Amino acid sequence: MSNTPMAANPLTRAVLEIDEYVSGLGWDQPARLFALVDTARLRVQEPSLAAQLGLSDEQETSGFTPIEQDEIPAGKPLDEFLATIAWPDAVVGCALTVERLMLPPSAEASVPQGLSGKKLAAWVAAHPDRQEVRMTVAVLRDGTRDSAVRLREKDAATEVLTGSGLVPGLAEALSATFAE
């Protein structure tokens, strides 16, 4: 995508491309799952699909093309859904975008003990320091990972944080989709 910031790492570029795409859809979106395929391999093995995706004329020889998957079933817990996924060999990685509420580290000490999932979610939603975030996490079969985090209050491409360790739990869950 033309507006995606330049990044040295092809996985970071894919994460930022997905973040840009989802940000164009606005906030309050459902989780979205993407397969990552090797762009050069896609051009060779599926030239008509590559042409449909606008990849034929690109000069870059390395990188990943994100392909959005079917909608994640509403009402099914994300961890249960991810446990049902098996990827074909052509998929070299996957990515997931989810929106969540997050508290700053300073609020951790005030979290009430013993709250159930729903009560804890309600407590976080009512907390004055909560932040709405969109997290895009990608992993490759070899374990490489990267992620992007966008705060709703700083909703600009220049404010997106990237890093391999930003959302470790979600990265582990996505990595498990490649376990045999």
Side-chain angles (χ1 to χ4, degrees), residues 84-115:
T84 67
I85 295 175
W87 297 104
D89 291 340
V91 174
V92 297
C94 66
L96 182 74
T97 299
V98 296
E99 293 178 13
R100 294 289 185 259
L101 292 177
M102 187 172 92
L103 292 176
S106 60
E108 286 182 23
S110 64
V111 175
Q113 298 298 313
L115 291 182

Side-chain angles (χ1 to χ4, degrees), residues 3-172:
N3 294 330
T4 303
M6 287 304 297
N9 178 324
L11 188 57
T12 303
R13 285 194 304 272
V15 165
L16 290 171
E17 181 179 336
I18 293 167
D19 173 76
E20 180 185 354
Y21 163 72
V22 175
S23 76
L25 301 172
W27 285 86
D28 304 317
Q29 295 291 314
R32 295 178 183 277
L33 181 66
F34 299 83
L36 298 176
V37 296
D38 180 276
T39 302
R41 189 170 157 194
L42 177 66
R43 281 192 202 116
V44 170
Q45 295 180 346
E46 299 286 342
S48 61
L49 177 59
Q52 269 186 305
L53 296 172
L55 302 173
S56 302
D57 299 330
E58 289 187 13
Q59 299 298 327
E60 189 172 335
T61 58
S62 67
F64 305 105
T65 298
I67 301 173
E68 188 169 5
Q69 303 300 292
D70 290 336
E71 203 170 292
I72 295 173
K76 186 166 192 167
L78 194 54
D79 57 342
E80 288 178 23
F81 171 74
L82 291 176
T84 67
I85 295 175
W87 297 104
D89 291 340
V91 174
V92 297
C94 66
L96 182 74
T97 299
V98 296
E99 293 178 13
R100 294 289 185 259
L101 292 177
M102 187 172 92
L103 292 176
S106 60
E108 286 182 23
S110 64
V111 175
Q113 298 298 313
L115 291 182
S116 68
K118 285 184 179 184
K119 287 183 180 179
L120 180 59
W123 184 85
V124 170
H127 197 282
D129 295 330
R130 74 187 177 286
Q131 294 279 329
E132 290 180 75
V133 299
R134 180 182 301 120
M135 302 174 286
T136 302
V137 179
V139 299
L140 299 179
R141 283 186 186 271
D142 69 5
T144 305
R145 55 183 66 174
D146 210 336
S147 52
V149 175
R150 181 185 290 250
L151 298 173
R152 189 171 190 159
E153 74 175 26
K154 294 183 179 185
D155 192 6
T158 57
E159 297 291 335
V160 175
L161 303 173
T162 60
S164 61
L166 294 178
V167 193
L170 191 51
E172 287 298 320

